[in-house]
Amino acid sequence: MNRRLKLVLVVSMLISLLAGCGSGGATDTNSAEGTPNSSESTTSTTLRIYVDGNRAKDSNFLSVVEAFKKDTGINLEFNIVPGDGVEIYKKIDIELGAGDKSTDLILLTNPILLDKYAKSGSLLPLNDLISTEKYDAKGIFGEYLNEYDGNIYSLPFAVNKWAVYYNKKIFDDANVPYPSGAWTWDQYIETAKKLTDKDKGIYGSYMLDYDNYMYLTTRQKEVSGYKEDGSSNYDNPMFKDSLQFFGDLGNKHKIQPSWLEFKTKKLAWDGFMTGKYGMHVIGSWYTNMFLDKEAYPRDWKFGMTELPTPADGTGNNNIGIVQGLGINVNTKNPKEAFEFVKYYAENDYKYSGNLPAQVKLSAEDIKGMFQTLVDKLDGEITVDDINKAMYDNNLGFSDEKIVGTAASEYSSIILQESELYLIGEKSLDDTVKSIKERADQAIKDQTSK
């Protein structure tokens, strides 16, 4: 990992954790002349943004919205889609397909969404706005700024890097030392076994139903989801090994809820906050949860350490994603919407648990930012804890998602087929074969359009 990338990841983790409060509703957008931060008034402008039910109540997200209103005079209101962030994009697909002009802003929480909406023509190219305002997007965001055929469709607001969060009380009760420093997945499994206590309803590990858990160790080795000819690479044996690894955690080692238990009990994405799990493998955005003590009151303290790596000594990478914010191509308020895109990209990390996707933060800021985070968390973790977990650990960085032709369909296929293996209805070999065949067809269908 180059020095600059390390710096950005470090800086992003720190200051990203300041909390606040605010409010949001949902009304129609009003058009207005003039741009924020100019001598012209923008107080009559109201922008709308798609948000899921959870984000609409997130005090940290509400804080940056309130700060934007205060600093620019532009109102921001929510087009709320109930749910946990999955259903929202089904509604966005429908509304954008119908030519929605009332919602201005679209959160692109993973690179698959950016790729999908950019290629479908749903996002407004930002090049002209960037040029007109002489905004140094490339200088601010560097390698995190994505372009498609020379067009910029979003500004990145966060780099989410994975880590292991752990419940110190569960470790203490089991007399198990806290994890620290480089470790392997085999060591993670052995640690989780020591923490698991079925009589108390405690599992040593917790993972979710995201597609990238199915191929996590493969992405740590930076194996592409595509072959050089553009077809699916899912017949690479590493994808098979990754799926078996994930399935074994619940079905064989029994250190976390099996897929069947996770689904039938409808276990939550924020289930780790219940205090019933020893360790949680998740992106750095999860740090945000520990700041919100009103929504997540707890009688236990948490710790964090670096992501385990494969035991064979290869693929010693962390994984993660770059998140961005784009503008509906049909917006009636492009200039005002761009003001929020810029504001959010530059300031989100000051309020949330995200790592900023900026390359101009100075080395002198690092210690101060880590300390700010530590103070906000009342000393639950130390500057050294954060540094080792997220920055100074010699881990590289690999995109957690498979991004390319028909990426959204590819992701859905992986989840659909993997579920059949995880609940015992399909063999491992047949599962990866089906993923390969269905992904190839999806890629062919999209390429032929």
Side-chain angles (χ1 to χ4, degrees), residues 259 414-427 431 434 438:
W259 187 270
I414 290 170
L415 280 174
Q416 291 165 10
E417 294 293 336
S418 294
E419 178 168 85
L420 297 176
Y421 164 68
L422 295 169
I423 63 176
E425 291 189 5
K426 204 167 190 175
S427 72
T431 297
S434 295
R438 291 184 61 192

Side-chain angles (χ1 to χ4, degrees), residues 162 183-186 188-189 207 211-224 234 236-247 249 281 307-319 398-400:
W162 285 50
W183 57 331
T184 67
W185 285 112
D186 288 342
Y188 175 89
I189 292 170
M207 297 186 191
D211 62 323
N212 43 300
Y213 284 100
M214 311 298 112
Y215 51 81
L216 189 156
T217 58
T218 300
R219 289 305 298 144
Q220 284 190 294
K221 298 182 179 183
E222 297 187 277
V223 176
S224 175
Y234 231 83
N236 185 307
M238 291 186 187
F239 284 103
K240 174 182 174 180
D241 291 344
S242 286
L243 179 55
Q244 182 175 15
F245 164 79
F246 177 75
L249 296 177
V281 178
L307 195 68
T309 58
D312 60 10
T314 64
N316 293 331
N317 291 301
N318 203 326
I319 61 170
S398 178
D399 198 315
E400 71 185 53

Side-chain angles (χ1 to χ4, degrees), residues 8 12 140-142 144 156-159 322-323 345 349 355-359:
V8 172
S12 61
I140 295 171
F141 304 106
Y144 299 112
F157 65 84
V159 177
V322 177
Q323 297 183 308
Y349 75 100
L355 309 176
Q358 299 177 46
V359 298

Side-chain angles (χ1 to χ4, degrees), residues 13-312:
M13 172 93 212
L14 250 284
I15 298 191
S16 56
L17 285 146
L18 307 175
C21 59
S23 62
T27 63
D28 290 335
T29 303
N30 302 309
S31 60
E33 296 181 355
T35 60
N37 299 325
S38 72
S39 59
E40 299 177 73
S41 173
T42 60
T43 55
S44 62
T45 304
T46 297
L47 301 173
R48 296 181 79 211
I49 183 172
Y50 287 104
V51 295
D52 60 76
N54 290 324
R55 193 180 295 272
K57 297 181 291 184
D58 181 353
S59 62
N60 300 309
F61 176 69
L62 295 172
S63 291
V64 70
V65 169
E66 288 299 318
F68 173 71
K69 290 181 182 179
K70 180 179 180 181
D71 290 351
T72 67
I74 300 174
N75 295 313
L76 187 72
E77 297 184 341
F78 300 160
N79 182 351
I80 300 176
V81 180
D84 61 0
V86 176
E87 293 298 321
I88 182 175
Y89 291 102
K90 294 180 181 178
K91 179 177 181 180
I92 290 175
D93 287 347
I94 294 172
E95 295 194 355
L96 292 181
D100 173 35
K101 297 180 180 180
S102 66
T103 308
D104 305 275
L105 299 153
I106 305 171
L107 282 163
L108 305 163
T109 54
N110 69 61
I112 290 178
L113 294 169
L114 172 58
D115 184 80
K116 173 184 176 180
Y117 292 129
K119 290 178 178 177
S120 69
S122 300
L123 298 176
L124 180 72
L126 305 180
N127 300 52
D128 288 345
L129 290 165
I130 290 172
S131 177
T132 299
E133 298 192 15
K134 297 181 180 180
Y135 184 67
D136 187 18
K138 291 185 179 180
I140 295 171
F141 304 106
E143 59 202 302
Y144 299 112
L145 188 69
N146 287 308
E147 295 187 53
Y148 292 85
D149 297 325
N151 289 318
I152 297 170
Y153 291 98
S154 72
L155 295 185
F157 65 84
V159 177
N160 283 323
K161 194 176 180 183
W162 285 50
V164 174
Y165 294 85
Y166 59 89
N167 183 319
K168 291 184 175 180
K169 183 177 186 301
I170 290 178
F171 272 81
D172 291 341
D173 289 347
N175 294 313
V176 176
Y178 301 149
S180 179
W183 57 331
T184 67
W185 285 112
D186 288 342
Q187 291 172 314
Y188 175 89
I189 292 170
E190 290 307 308
T191 300
K193 287 179 178 178
K194 297 175 183 177
L195 302 175
T196 299
D197 189 335
K198 296 294 181 62
D199 293 336
K200 295 181 180 179
I202 293 173
Y203 280 106
S205 174
Y206 196 60
M207 297 186 191
L208 306 179
D209 55 353
Y210 302 163
D211 62 323
N212 43 300
Y213 284 100
M214 311 298 112
Y215 51 81
L216 189 156
T217 58
T218 300
R219 289 305 298 144
Q220 284 190 294
K221 298 182 179 183
E222 297 187 277
V223 176
S224 175
Y226 299 86
K227 297 181 185 293
E228 290 187 5
D229 63 3
S231 63
S232 168
N233 192 34
Y234 231 83
D235 54 353
N236 185 307
M238 291 186 187
F239 284 103
K240 174 182 174 180
D241 291 344
S242 286
L243 179 55
Q244 182 175 15
F245 164 79
F246 177 75
D248 284 351
L249 296 177
N251 294 332
K252 177 182 176 181
H253 303 301
K254 302 187 184 303
I255 59 173
Q256 68 183 28
S258 67
W259 187 270
L260 188 61
E261 182 180 358
F262 190 95
K263 291 297 185 178
T264 56
K265 292 185 177 181
K266 298 181 179 180
L267 299 179
W269 65 273
D270 54 356
F272 181 71
M273 302 305 293
T274 63
K276 293 295 185 179
Y277 304 95
M279 298 181 289
H280 189 22
V281 178
I282 195 70
S284 57
W285 57 269
Y286 206 84
T287 313
N288 184 36
M289 316 301 288
F290 302 102
L291 285 174
D292 193 345
K293 296 181 180 178
E294 290 186 10
Y296 300 103
R298 52 194 166 85
D299 60 357
W300 50 275
K301 296 182 182 296
F302 83 99
M304 61 188 301
T305 191
E306 67 183 76
L307 195 68
T309 58
D312 60 10

